[in-house]
Amino acid sequence: CNLPPKPIGMQDLNILVFFFSFSGVHFNSQAIAPTIEQIDQSFGATHPGVYNATEQLFHLNFRGLSFSFQLDSWTEAPKYEIPHGATVKRMYIYTGNSLQDTRAPAMPLSCYLGNVYAESVDVLRDATGPSGLRLRLLTAGSGPGVLSDAKMRVFERCIYFGDSCQDVLSALGSPHKVFYKAEDKMKIHSPSPHKQVPSRCNDYFFNYFTLGVDILFDVSTHQVKKFVLHTNYPGHYNFNIYYHCDFKIPLTVKRDSADCQAEMCTLTSYSKWDSIHELLGHPTEKPVVLHRSSSPNNTNPFGSTFCFGLQKKIQKVMQNNHIASVTLYGLPKPSNQLRAAEPTQ
Amino acid sequence: TMAMDSPRRPSRCTGGVVVRPQAVTEQSYMESVVTFLQDVVPQAYTGAAPTEEKEKIVWVRFEKSDLNDISRNPELYEMHSTGNDPPLLLLIGYTDGMQAWSIPISGEAQELYSARHGPIRTARILPTPLIGPQKIDSFAEKRPLLGMCKSAGSSGTSPPYCCVDLCSLRTGEMVKSIQFKTPIYDLHCNKRVLLVVLNCKVYGIDKIFFKALFFVLCCYPCPGPNLNPIALGSRWLAYAENKLIRCHQSRGGACGDDVQSYTATVISAAKTLKSGLTMVGKVVTQLAGTLPSGAVEDDISVHSSIRRSPLVPGIITVIDTETVGEGQVLLSEDVDSDGIVAHFPAHEKPISCIAFNPSGTLLVTADTLGHDFHIFQILTHPWSSSQSAVHHLYTLHRGETEAKVQDICFSHDCRWVVVSTLRGTSHVFPINSYGGHPCVRTHMSPRVVNRMSRFQKSAGLEEIEQELTSKQGGRCSPVPGLSSSPSGSPLHAKINSSDSYNNFSNNNLGNPRLSPLPSLTTVVPLAQIKQPMTLGTITKRTGKAKPTPQISPSKSTGGEFCVAAIFASSRSWFTTNSGLKREKDQLKQPVVDSLYIISSYGNLAEHALEPYPVSAAQKISDDTPLEMVTSPRASWALARSPQWNELQPPFNTNHPLLLAADSVQYYQCLLSGLVPPGSPGPITRHESYDSLASDHSGQEDEEWLSQVEIVTHTGPHRRLWMGPQFQFKTIHPSGQTTVISSSSSVLQSHGPNDTPQPLLDFDTDDLDLHSLRIQPVRSEPVSMPGSSRLISDRRGGSTVIDASSG
């Protein structure tokens, strides 16, 4: 699904003047200050407020709604009652019984519209690196047919490097869009110069926007050769194009050479690049700077992203250290693999 | 120079005949027509000595096997990346025996196999199956295998054409024999499964153990030339179902004028019923000689309801051979059957030919009339066929006369379809895999272009288009009560208009199966390539009242020619002796691959296809329609003469088919983690693992750079952050500079195991300002070169890539 929402919080209702009303009664507007009295009047009785000493805030909780009052002028915490005249410092709207155990609500079935969403995406690996993806998919039917009953289906599907288009279509359904790659600018970095021969045809992406996954197919074999997983963090050029892909990628942590055993750690869609950095030791390479530049009437306000290569993956890292996307290119060129393997003839 | 001397002297090289191409011009092509009209006994038309007699060809077929499988043959992949094609593999069936040819890029056709062991209805060179740790190929040392359906089976006692004989091309021995009760019409195979096509039935057979996997018993029969047309992709099987099961029906399907109302379909179905369909039959899988006995299949489990209900023609079912399970594949109202990909009406008349495109996303169908062919895009849903959609992208209009389709082929980039009829005419149609009118923009560049041009995208035309279709309720969604409208067919599954409306609200994230419905485009052939003999027979056929329905697949009777076509890069440059010309030819990359057509007289002809903008156009723009000129370039006279020797296994280890099978098997072993026979051991895995784990091997380090993907999708014409709803500004909370967009935790979420965060703040106290690499980021228009210099200065010599946002 999309980024799991956090509770919606508003603060400093005095500064940012909002108009709020409940059952037609305004409790905050330019004329009405959101005082405790106003809240009482609008929402009625509830459990006594809870004082949080560290935040120095008094929380008044309703189901799905909490108000925080800042008590600057009271040195001693009041027991149950919020002093008169206190105004709301913050307001939270959420699902669940209390602010502590709030969870993102499940997407309503009526919003699926036959789409398929990914709950989680695990990167499968073998000894040579990433080998594929295991996706936990959610879908609900729409319209007539076998799936007409309004029930959510949860199922797991795996796709691998080297899968055909029909394999991927069977596993994940059809993509939202197909994108034919333009000439590949990165070919200039290819180690083998003969591969710079301009290819007759172009590879193509299957864009699965609701999964947050792109799949690149090789045009000559029509087989999967890359996966791109998107995190959809704000602050990226592609924000709001893809859904958040909640991926988990096992990484091999190299320890001292004396100890051959490789330790595993997991790179998730929430990992920050500097923490991964620390775990793995610094990548030896300088990053590639990717600048989605601006055309005259179209400014990219986010600046550049940085690409780091690591264990057959390319992490695109934003300036706030969050990972914008991960590209997996596990399928080796058959020739490379064979050349390494073939006994010398 | 080497090509010109004695182009078709049969010369023995690694056992087989080598035939060199001969240059053909339009004139010589036409002259050959004249010769044919005079000749009583048809002969090869290029340079054939009049005395040389040729054997009669019954069927021809271009084959995909290990020999030309780029994906599993490393050398071929290497070659292909430098612009070279894998060899063409051609099978020719004669009245007595068969022949296999390889036509590599050099143009020197080499005979690979030749046998005279009685009539063969169909044959396949089986690709090496996919193996795994659980699926060990017990026939590995026998491969490659040739699957044949002979008039006299190896067991001797069986009725003609009822037995699939699997013969090892390596050892020459008969490996296995699978016997059926009724005659076999055809064999199909891919890397996973071998399909045996019988009357109204299809049997799926495991390619490793040769055991029956699944069977389909409810195919709609076709009068021919394909008596039971099916198509096999890399994973899916498409066949003509004899009924429409509503609950499995996919959205969409054929729409347009030629699909009549549902009642008409039922009436025509009732008519066909009296032709007496035999649905019962037993299949016995038995083994020849001393081989262990196989499974015996009984199709007693046929549902009785099938025989009662009227058969409906023109229905296509696509099943997934991997997930369909074992036993009978049966669509019924009450069963939630697995493995059904799509189920939809494609034509009003019975289906006569089906084919997948190379990627397997499009399906082209032809009916028994042969006026119009349909191209469908199959949009699958991972759970159920009823949630899948089938978009009718094109109607390929061949003509108003009746024609029997015998062969369909796609160009590798899916931009050209060639449909060959039994009269020997090949019709060349331009298409796009995403629909829309073929034009200069889409078909005159060597590369496939995206659906939306830069102009269309930046103008937001896509969204306007979507809005329009949603307002009209889509071209195909029939409003209740309008079922007789010409544009909406009642068979066409309904798409709820409110669904589709909701679907459009979110620009990219709509359900691809619902929107946007591409408009149906009618395309006429740009070129029709006839066989030289065709002219003579058309005049003959005019007197004929009615062509007799063909029951036996012996195809080359009066006026009917077996042909097969395939796209591949040109092999004719060898025929030009001027070095200058050759250089020029190579420099000028053709937009379309050459089309190779093998005729029933054993002549393989290479035709160059050159599309150009219509000459009537005043000004050539992106949308200008196309015309095409075709010219024959070279021909190979491949028909066998009785003087030629047979070429039978066992073959030497340097035989091309054996080398290809070795190579593919070796690669398969590596991929599945098994030890390839004859390799030093599983060291390779460790080696690659080590090189992966260490970041120090230079090759590995540099490799990733070329793998960076910059643009992965067609962006919307306006992005969220372009406003006006959102603005990105620098805020100054306490004298510090930070940016909301890139650093605040707005909308960000932390791992599910995280403790509840102190919620979101616009405060800056939880920000790590040192982690910001460049600041501030401004919302004012940033001049491009300045900003990128700033970055490269700061990063100190890192690579800077500019990707334009368009």
Side-chain angles (χ1 to χ4, degrees):
Chain A
C1 292
N2 214 335
L3 275 177
K6 292 181 66 174
I8 298 171
M10 314 276 175
Q11 56 177 305
D12 264 346
L13 298 188
N14 293 329
I15 299 168
L16 305 161
V17 179
F18 290 98
F19 290 86
F20 286 114
S21 70
F22 184 76
S23 305
V25 182
H26 288 274
F27 63 90
N28 184 32
S29 70
Q30 264 172 320
I32 306 161
T35 58
I36 178 67
E37 289 80 13
Q38 200 65 47
I39 300 296
D40 277 342
Q41 195 189 330
S42 297
F43 297 95
T46 183
H47 293 295
V50 183
Y51 183 67
N52 185 326
T54 52
E55 286 182 286
Q56 293 201 322
L57 287 176
F58 214 109
H59 296 292
L60 189 66
N61 298 316
F62 297 87
R63 189 188 290 267
L65 180 71
S66 289
F67 295 99
S68 303
F69 299 88
Q70 196 157 26
L71 309 174
D72 302 318
S73 42
W74 287 272
T75 45
E76 203 172 313
K79 282 267 154 77
Y80 296 114
E81 233 176 293
I82 297 164
H84 286 277
T87 53
V88 171
K89 168 89 173 161
R90 292 179 183 173
M91 180 179 85
Y92 304 106
I93 305 169
Y94 51 88
T95 56
N97 287 332
S98 72
L99 198 48
Q100 275 68 44
D101 59 83
T102 179
R103 281 186 329 277
M107 190 157 79
L109 286 173
S110 59
C111 294
Y112 275 87
L113 291 172
N115 266 318
V116 183
Y117 297 88
E119 196 173 72
S120 62
V121 176
D122 294 329
V123 173
L124 306 168
R125 58 170 293 150
D126 59 15
T128 52
S131 62
L133 304 179
R134 181 172 57 229
L135 300 104
R136 203 172 151 77
L137 301 175
L138 308 172
T139 190
S142 69
V146 177
L147 256 188
S148 58
D149 51 333
K151 214 168 87 182
M152 196 173 65
R153 320 276 163 151
V154 185
F155 48 97
E156 280 193 350
R157 293 288 162 89
C158 293
I159 45 175
Y160 300 94
F161 290 110
D163 274 0
S164 68
C165 281
Q166 289 187 346
D167 289 328
V168 172
L169 291 175
S170 283
L172 306 182
S174 55
H176 291 85
K177 292 278 164 66
V178 177
F179 176 73
Y180 291 88
K181 257 173 83 167
E183 24 83 71
D184 196 344
K185 287 178 186 152
M186 296 312 286
K187 265 209 167 148
I188 198 168
H189 296 291
S190 181
S192 36
H194 70 268
K195 292 205 181 84
Q196 288 175 28
V197 175
S199 59
R200 282 274 328 259
C201 307
N202 31 0
D203 294 346
Y204 50 96
F205 279 103
F206 275 11
N207 300 134
Y208 288 94
F209 294 119
T210 55
L211 304 180
V213 175
D214 282 328
I215 300 173
L216 180 70
F217 287 90
D218 186 304
V219 75
S220 49
T221 61
H222 298 287
Q223 290 183 346
V224 175
K225 76 180 200 191
K226 280 182 205 175
F227 295 107
V228 186
L229 315 173
H230 299 267
T231 57
N232 192 36
Y233 276 113
H236 190 260
Y237 186 82
N238 284 339
F239 179 57
N240 207 37
I241 302 286
Y242 293 89
Y243 272 54
H244 175 78
C245 174
D246 191 3
F247 56 79
K248 289 186 190 64
I249 305 173
L251 293 178
T252 319
V253 181
K254 203 168 59 119
R255 292 290 171 218
D256 298 334
S257 51
D259 174 23
C260 275
Q261 199 177 342
E263 227 173 276
M264 303 297 281
C265 75
T266 311
L267 173 72
T268 72
S269 52
Y270 305 106
S271 305
K272 286 206 163 189
W273 182 243
D274 45 6
S275 61
I276 294 296
H277 231 228
E278 279 164 28
L279 266 171
L280 297 169
H282 290 260
T284 49
E285 284 219 44
K286 289 178 202 131
V288 172
V289 179
L290 197 60
H291 190 68
R292 303 296 294 263
S293 68
S294 320
S295 52
N297 55 356
N298 167 8
T299 308
N300 172 13
F302 303 116
S304 310
T305 50
F306 306 94
C307 298
F308 295 90
L310 176 73
Q311 296 181 9
K312 299 230 168 195
K313 291 175 282 294
I314 298 159
Q315 282 79 11
K316 205 186 273 183
V317 181
M318 295 187 294
Q319 294 174 13
N320 57 4
N321 252 318
H322 278 289
I323 294 167
S325 72
V326 177
T327 305
L328 310 170
Y329 60 94
L331 185 69
K333 290 263 163 36
S335 53
N336 292 350
Q337 198 178 10
L338 269 201
R339 207 171 289 143
E342 237 156 16
T344 45
Q345 288 172 345
Chain B
T1 55
M2 54 184 286
M4 287 312 286
D5 57 312
S6 171
R8 46 177 324 282
R9 180 195 61 212
S11 61
R12 293 268 151 186
C13 163
T14 64
V17 178
V18 171
V19 173
R20 296 189 176 124
Q22 199 185 15
V24 190
T25 60
E26 194 69 53
Q27 201 184 0
S28 68
Y29 195 71
M30 288 316 290
E31 275 167 6
S32 71
V33 175
V34 179
T35 337
F36 270 126
L37 291 176
Q38 292 162 348
D39 283 351
V40 181
V41 179
Q43 284 172 351
Y45 58 82
T46 47
T51 48
E52 202 174 12
E53 196 190 336
K54 291 292 178 191
E55 291 177 46
K56 187 170 165 54
I57 292 173
V58 184
W59 53 263
V60 287
R61 162 184 287 161
F62 285 104
E63 187 79 337
K64 263 198 87 170
S65 194
D66 294 345
L67 187 69
N68 45 18
D69 183 356
I70 334 168
S71 63
R72 297 192 295 173
N73 197 325
E75 282 148 48
L76 290 179
Y77 190 90
E78 197 87 335
M79 267 175 62
H80 193 81
S81 61
T82 55
N84 281 333
D85 247 18
L88 301 178
L89 180 57
L90 174 66
L91 303 184
I92 302 176
Y94 295 92
T95 43
D96 184 14
M98 60 166 287
Q99 205 183 13
W101 288 92
S102 159
I103 301 102
I105 191 76
S106 67
E108 291 199 356
Q110 189 190 353
E111 189 187 35
L112 298 179
Y113 175 89
S114 175
R116 292 187 183 90
H117 41 34
I120 292 177
R121 177 160 289 182
T122 183
R124 292 276 177 180
I125 295 173
L126 307 189
T128 301
L130 295 172
I131 54 165
Q134 279 82 46
K135 291 157 85 181
I136 307 227
D137 184 9
S138 52
F139 296 99
E141 69 276 13
K142 312 273 190 207
R143 289 182 197 275
L145 299 180
L146 175 68
M148 282 179 295
C149 175
K150 293 195 226 169
S151 68
S154 54
S155 52
T157 54
S158 66
Y161 303 117
C162 286
C163 188
V164 183
D165 288 330
L166 298 167
C167 165
S168 166
L169 293 177
R170 195 176 295 266
T171 62
E173 66 190 294
M174 189 68 72
V175 169
K176 197 152 181 124
S177 171
I178 309 165
Q179 202 168 339
F180 293 83
K181 273 283 163 79
T182 54
I184 293 160
Y185 291 165
D186 208 352
L187 296 174
H188 289 255
C189 53
N190 62 12
K191 294 167 198 170
R192 292 183 163 103
V193 69
L194 168 71
L195 297 180
V196 181
V197 183
L198 309 159
N199 182 29
C200 299
K201 286 177 247 170
V202 182
Y203 277 80
I205 289 168
D206 178 89
K207 283 211 33 207
I208 295 177
F209 309 108
F210 296 108
K211 281 185 191 147
L213 288 175
F214 60 87
F215 48 102
V216 178
L217 303 173
C218 42
C219 301
Y220 197 93
C222 168
N226 301 303
L227 297 166
N228 184 3
I230 68 161
L232 180 64
S234 65
R235 177 159 172 162
W236 297 346
L237 157 68
Y239 63 92
E241 183 91 39
N242 60 20
K243 61 198 177 297
L244 182 66
I245 308 294
R246 286 287 172 166
C247 75
H248 294 292
Q249 186 180 352
S250 310
R251 296 145 202 248
C255 55
D257 299 334
D258 72 314
V259 174
Q260 290 178 358
S261 70
Y262 182 70
T263 41
T265 318
V266 173
I267 290 165
S268 72
K271 278 181 202 156
T272 50
L273 191 65
K274 62 179 180 239
S275 57
L277 299 159
T278 46
M279 305 288 289
V280 203
K282 278 191 176 178
V283 172
V284 182
T285 312
Q286 84 176 35
L287 297 157
T290 57
L291 294 160
S293 93
V296 178
E297 289 293 332
D298 260 4
D299 36 337
I300 37 169
S301 54
V302 185
H303 271 226
S304 55
S305 62
I306 293 170
R307 269 170 246 165
R308 280 199 300 270
S309 59
L311 301 188
V312 184
I315 310 296
I316 294 273
T317 301
V318 182
I319 60 170
D320 181 351
T321 57
E322 284 284 291
T323 58
V324 79
E326 299 202 351
Q328 189 185 353
V329 179
L330 181 72
L331 273 68
S332 64
E333 291 287 354
D334 45 338
V335 183
D336 188 0
S337 22
D338 280 339
I340 299 164
V341 176
H343 178 65
F344 61 99
H347 286 273
E348 181 200 346
K349 295 277 183 235
I351 305 286
S352 66
C353 200
I354 322 174
F356 280 112
N357 70 342
S359 70
T361 55
L362 300 181
L363 189 72
V364 56
T365 59
D367 65 8
T368 47
L369 285 178
H371 298 172
D372 294 297
F373 317 124
H374 293 171
I375 292 199
F376 298 101
Q377 185 181 16
I378 298 171
L379 297 131
T380 56
H381 188 275
W383 191 264
S384 160
S385 66
S386 64
Q387 294 291 313
S388 299
V390 178
H391 289 174
H392 187 177
L393 295 183
Y394 290 98
T395 293
L396 310 178
H397 184 66
R398 184 197 61 85
E400 302 299 335
T401 52
E402 195 172 318
K404 290 174 176 171
V405 176
Q406 62 170 325
D407 180 72
I408 301 175
C409 83
F410 279 88
S411 70
H412 195 81
D413 56 12
C414 302
R415 290 193 292 178
W416 300 92
V417 191
V418 175
V419 182
S420 303
T421 61
L422 205 51
R423 288 176 194 156
T425 309
S426 298
H427 303 263
V428 183
F429 296 94
I431 58 157
N432 295 311
S433 58
Y434 38 80
H437 278 283
C439 58
V440 167
R441 186 179 81 86
T442 57
H443 282 74
M444 290 294 288
S445 69
R447 296 166 146 267
V448 182
V449 297
N450 277 300
R451 197 170 86 85
M452 288 283 150
S453 71
R454 238 177 124 82
F455 160 71
Q456 286 167 316
K457 201 191 83 175
S458 61
L461 288 185
E462 187 175 24
E463 276 138 70
I464 296 169
E465 204 176 90
Q466 287 183 0
E467 221 165 272
L468 283 176
T469 40
S470 69
K471 274 183 188 144
Q472 290 160 359
R475 103 200 118 91
C476 288
S477 83
V479 182
L482 267 179
S483 54
S484 58
S485 83
S487 62
S489 136
L491 276 182
H492 198 83
K494 293 179 187 187
I495 291 170
N496 189 318
S497 59
S498 73
D499 275 2
S500 41
Y501 178 73
N502 287 338
N503 203 34
F504 293 119
S505 52
N506 202 345
N507 66 42
N508 255 335
L509 306 176
N511 185 345
R513 292 162 284 273
L514 295 179
S515 79
L517 280 176
S519 56
L520 173 61
T521 312
T522 302
V523 176
V524 292
L526 285 191
Q528 290 171 318
I529 300 169
K530 294 188 175 159
Q531 289 305 306
M533 259 317 263
T534 323
L535 285 175
T537 51
I538 281 176
T539 47
K540 254 193 266 171
R541 275 178 69 106
T542 45
K544 248 185 204 173
K546 193 172 130 199
T548 47
Q550 226 188 338
I551 286 135
S552 86
S554 58
K555 287 163 189 169
S556 48
T557 53
E560 294 178 339
F561 304 90
C562 57
V563 295
I566 194 167
F567 281 96
S569 53
S570 175
R571 282 144 170 82
S572 66
W573 53 272
F574 256 97
T575 58
T576 62
N577 24 4
S578 139
L580 193 84
K581 176 108 190 298
R582 187 174 125 193
E583 209 169 285
K584 197 182 143 206
D585 271 1
Q586 280 191 323
L587 279 177
K588 194 188 121 209
Q589 273 204 341
V591 174
V592 192
D593 270 340
S594 294
L595 180 67
Y596 292 81
I597 302 177
I598 173 83
S599 74
S600 52
Y601 299 109
N603 284 297
L604 175 70
E606 176 188 334
H607 297 265
L609 308 182
E610 289 161 53
Y612 59 91
V614 283
S615 38
Q618 300 285 316
K619 187 169 150 274
I620 294 161
S621 72
D622 274 0
D623 298 332
T624 309
L626 299 170
E627 284 173 6
M628 176 178 263
V629 61
T630 69
S631 50
R633 278 286 170 82
S635 83
W636 289 259
L638 300 178
R640 190 168 64 180
S641 68
Q643 290 82 37
W644 293 12
N645 292 330
E646 289 184 68
L647 184 64
Q648 292 236 49
F651 291 128
N652 285 336
T653 46
N654 65 351
H655 189 276
L657 288 172
L658 268 57
L659 286 176
D662 286 343
S663 187
V664 169
Q665 284 186 342
Y666 193 86
Y667 181 61
Q668 288 261 279
C669 284
L670 284 182
L671 275 193
S672 58
L674 299 170
V675 186
S679 87
I683 309 156
T684 42
R685 304 294 283 186
H686 279 294
E687 270 172 5
S688 50
Y689 175 66
D690 288 345
S691 69
L692 175 91
S694 73
D695 290 348
H696 299 292
S697 80
Q699 177 85 9
E700 198 73 37
D701 278 351
E702 286 300 322
E703 195 194 353
W704 69 270
L705 265 175
S706 59
Q707 303 279 353
V708 171
E709 293 298 335
I710 304 171
V711 186
T712 58
H713 65 279
T714 310
H717 80 292
R718 286 197 71 74
R719 288 174 187 270
L720 183 76
W721 41 263
M722 290 178 189
Q725 299 94 331
F726 295 90
Q727 281 193 322
F728 291 85
K729 290 193 172 168
T730 311
I731 57 165
H732 305 268
S734 51
Q736 290 172 309
T737 305
T738 185
V739 181
I740 293 174
S741 62
S742 62
S743 305
S744 80
S745 50
V746 183
L747 293 178
Q748 288 177 9
S749 160
H750 300 266
N753 46 355
D754 273 9
T755 51
Q757 293 291 313
L759 304 165
L760 60 101
D761 282 314
F762 281 59
D763 298 343
T764 51
D765 42 9
D766 65 335
L767 287 177
D768 180 12
L769 286 172
H770 302 287
S771 73
L772 286 177
R773 294 184 181 165
I774 299 151
Q775 45 187 305
V777 178
R778 291 154 293 174
S779 61
E780 299 88 51
V782 183
S783 66
M784 203 176 82
S787 62
S788 60
R789 193 182 309 125
L790 172 76
I791 295 151
S792 54
D793 286 349
R794 279 177 178 261
R795 300 301 308 169
S798 0
T799 326
V800 178
I801 298 143
D802 267 338
S804 76
S805 55

